[in-house]
Amino acid sequence: AQSVTQPDIHITVSEGASLELRCNYSYGATPYLFWYVQSPGQGLQLLLKYFSGDTLVQGIKGFEAEFKRSQSSFNLRKPSVHWSDAAEYFCAVGSQTTSGTYKYIFGTGTRLKVLA
Amino acid sequence: KAGVTQTPRYLIKTRGQQVTLSCSPISGHRSVSWYQQTPGQGLQFLFEYFSETQRNKGNFPGRFSGRQFSNSRSEMNVSTLELGDSALYLCASSKGTYSYNEQFFGPGTRLTVL
C-alpha cells in the first residue's frame, strides 16, 4: 500500500539557517510528489510538485526539493529560513486509482519553529 | 479569482447530532475532495466528487457522506456524531480531469463534538 513518512514531527531552526525536511514514500510506480505548507488556521498551500524529469524542483517562497528514487525520498530544503516560514509542512504522494483518477496520501506533517 | 470557500468556519455540536459542511470550489473546478485532519491521524481522504458523482472514497464509516450539486458546490454530512469526529475538515477543488490537477484547499471547518 502507498504510504508517506515524515520522520520529524518537530524541527526548530534559527532564522537564517538552512532547512531540510525529510519525506520518504512507498509507491510501486513513479509517484507524483508534493509538498504543502499549512499556517495556523489556514488550509494547505502547494509549495512544489514533482511529476517527472529534473529531480530537483523549485517551488514558491524559495523552497526546493530533490527526488531520489533510490532512497524513495523527496526532501524539502531551503537555504535560509525566515521567521514567516514557521508552519506545518506536509509531504504527499498522488497515486492513481483503478478508475484512472488520483488520490492523495499525506504524511503526518513536520511542525517548523523558527527562532529569532 | 476567488479561492475555495468553506462554511461555517467553526462548529460545535454534541454527540449524536448530525452536521452538514459546505464547500464552494474555485470557479471552473469540477472536482471537490474532502479530508479530515486530526492531530493523531493527520490528513485522511474522505471522498471526491466530480460532476455530481462520487468518484473516490476513503476508509470512513457510512456516517460520513457527501454530495455535489450541478454548480460543483459540495456538502458533506456526518450523522450520529462521535467525540472522535472532532477535527478540521478540509475541502479541496481541482479541475478534475483524468490527469493530475493541482488541488486548491479551503481554510477548513473546525468541528468540535462535545
Side-chain angles (χ1 to χ4, degrees):
Chain A
Q2 298 91 354
S3 65
V4 178
T5 302
Q6 293 180 247
D8 305 304
I9 298 174
H10 297 279
I11 281 188
T12 300
V13 299
S14 298
E15 191 171 19
S18 63
L19 172 70
E20 182 169 31
L21 303 182
R22 296 183 291 164
C23 173
N24 293 96
Y25 67 90
S26 171
Y27 185 63
T30 300
Y32 288 177
L33 295 161
F34 313 91
W35 274 99
Y36 286 86
V37 61
Q38 185 179 35
S39 298
Q42 302 295 317
L44 276 68
Q45 181 183 22
L46 181 68
L47 285 174
L48 47 78
K49 56 185 182 255
Y50 172 78
F51 289 172
S52 63
D54 193 347
T55 57
L56 184 64
V57 294
Q58 303 296 322
I60 62 171
K61 304 186 181 187
F63 285 93
E64 66 178 27
E66 186 171 14
F67 170 60
K68 292 186 178 180
R69 184 187 301 276
S70 62
Q71 298 176 20
S72 296
S73 69
F74 188 57
N75 294 348
L76 181 71
R77 300 194 296 248
K78 186 169 185 178
S80 177
V81 169
H82 187 261
W83 64 266
S84 60
D85 293 325
E88 190 154 21
Y89 292 79
F90 293 91
C91 181
V93 61
S95 66
Q96 195 165 25
T97 68
T98 53
S99 64
T101 59
Y102 290 86
K103 67 175 182 179
Y104 303 92
I105 300 165
F106 286 82
T108 51
T110 298
R111 188 171 296 277
L112 174 66
K113 182 177 179 180
V114 180
L115 302 176
Chain B
K1 201 182 218 184
V4 178
T5 58
Q6 292 186 246
T7 56
R9 291 293 309 278
Y10 301 92
L11 208 49
I12 299 175
K13 292 286 188 179
T14 56
R15 278 182 301 173
Q17 286 187 308
Q18 73 155 14
V19 67
T20 299
L21 312 182
S22 180
C23 172
S24 292
I26 291 172
S27 176
H29 285 191
R30 297 168 64 193
S31 168
V32 173
S33 297
W34 289 90
Y35 295 85
Q36 181 194 65
Q37 185 178 23
T38 58
Q41 299 296 320
L43 271 155
Q44 293 187 288
F45 173 74
L46 279 155
F47 28 65
E48 181 208 5
Y49 284 87
F50 178 80
S51 291
E52 303 178 64
T53 301
Q54 187 180 86
R55 193 160 68 168
N56 286 305
K57 190 177 189 305
N59 296 322
F60 278 81
R63 300 185 297 107
F64 291 82
S65 63
R67 59 177 176 168
Q68 187 180 34
F69 301 95
S70 58
N71 62 358
S72 294
R73 191 177 69 85
S74 176
E75 290 181 345
M76 68 162 280
N77 184 77
V78 188
S79 62
T80 319
L81 284 166
E82 300 177 0
L83 295 179
D85 297 332
S86 294
L88 180 68
Y89 290 88
L90 291 166
C91 164
S93 78
S94 70
K95 291 180 182 177
T97 58
Y98 281 86
S99 61
Y100 168 71
N101 301 128
E102 180 180 340
Q103 287 194 317
F104 294 84
F105 283 83
T109 293
R110 171 78 60 189
L111 172 65
T112 301
V113 182
L114 303 175

